[in-house]
Amino acid sequence: MRMSEQADCVIIRPNEQSGFAGKQGLNYFAGIAAETAGSQALCMHMLRMPAGARAKAHHHESHETAIYMLSGTVEMYYGHQLERHAVVHAGEYVYIPAGMPHFPFNPYAEEAVAIIARTDPNEQESVVLRPDLDALR
């Protein structure tokens, strides 16, 4: 594709109205996605996890996820039966392979903020809820 045929650059200026409730049970601030910028192979959003927040167990079908923790600390159970556990602090990165069941939660007193990027341009299309795993943790 020649440069003149490409879509234009897009600046997203998020505000409180640009957020959305994800299937996972958390609220996101819309960033780059097919819906907001016309992206075709990725999305990137901000997640603010209040103290005590917990996502529903889920995985992302056929899409990888990369997370950078801006502030706070969260914990995550992951694995086919949520048998593995991780604690993620501000300044750390997390990689989640496609199809890996997981659920993050914030058991701490302060809000946690993360930037999340995924190889799915449509943020919610690849989310597969796993109610069969929710009772495990």
Side-chain angles (χ1 to χ4, degrees):
M1 179 184 310
R2 294 186 336 215
M3 188 164 308
S4 63
E5 296 172 0
Q6 290 180 349
D8 201 359
C9 293
V10 176
I11 307 285
I12 306 295
R13 292 185 174 89
N15 57 45
E16 293 298 321
Q17 291 76 39
S18 68
F20 64 93
K23 294 178 190 177
Q24 307 93 310
L26 301 174
N27 293 320
Y28 297 84
F29 290 87
I32 306 300
E35 297 83 0
T36 59
S39 65
Q40 297 183 25
L42 61 86
C43 71
M44 182 179 358
H45 298 293
M46 180 187 295
L47 170 64
R48 300 182 84 88
M49 261 185 113
R54 172 190 162 125
K56 296 175 183 175
H58 65 282
H59 69 267
H60 301 273
E61 194 66 45
S62 304
H63 292 284
E64 299 172 297
T65 301
I67 301 168
Y68 178 73
M69 287 298 302
L70 290 170
S71 64
T73 301
V74 297
E75 297 188 25
M76 176 177 73
Y77 283 102
Y78 65 99
H80 297 290
Q81 294 297 307
L82 301 178
E83 69 277 7
R84 304 197 64 200
H85 179 256
V87 178
V88 185
H89 304 278
E92 295 179 336
Y93 294 87
V94 177
Y95 168 74
I96 302 172
M100 174 66 71
H102 61 283
F103 83 83
F105 60 102
N106 181 358
Y108 302 100
E110 72 177 52
E111 176 184 66
V113 180
I115 299 295
I116 300 175
R118 193 166 297 113
T119 58
D120 180 358
N122 301 294
E123 166 58 35
Q124 293 290 291
E125 285 187 15
S126 70
V127 174
V128 177
L129 296 179
R130 296 291 308 272
D132 59 308
L133 298 179
D134 276 326
L136 295 178
R137 297 287 173 186

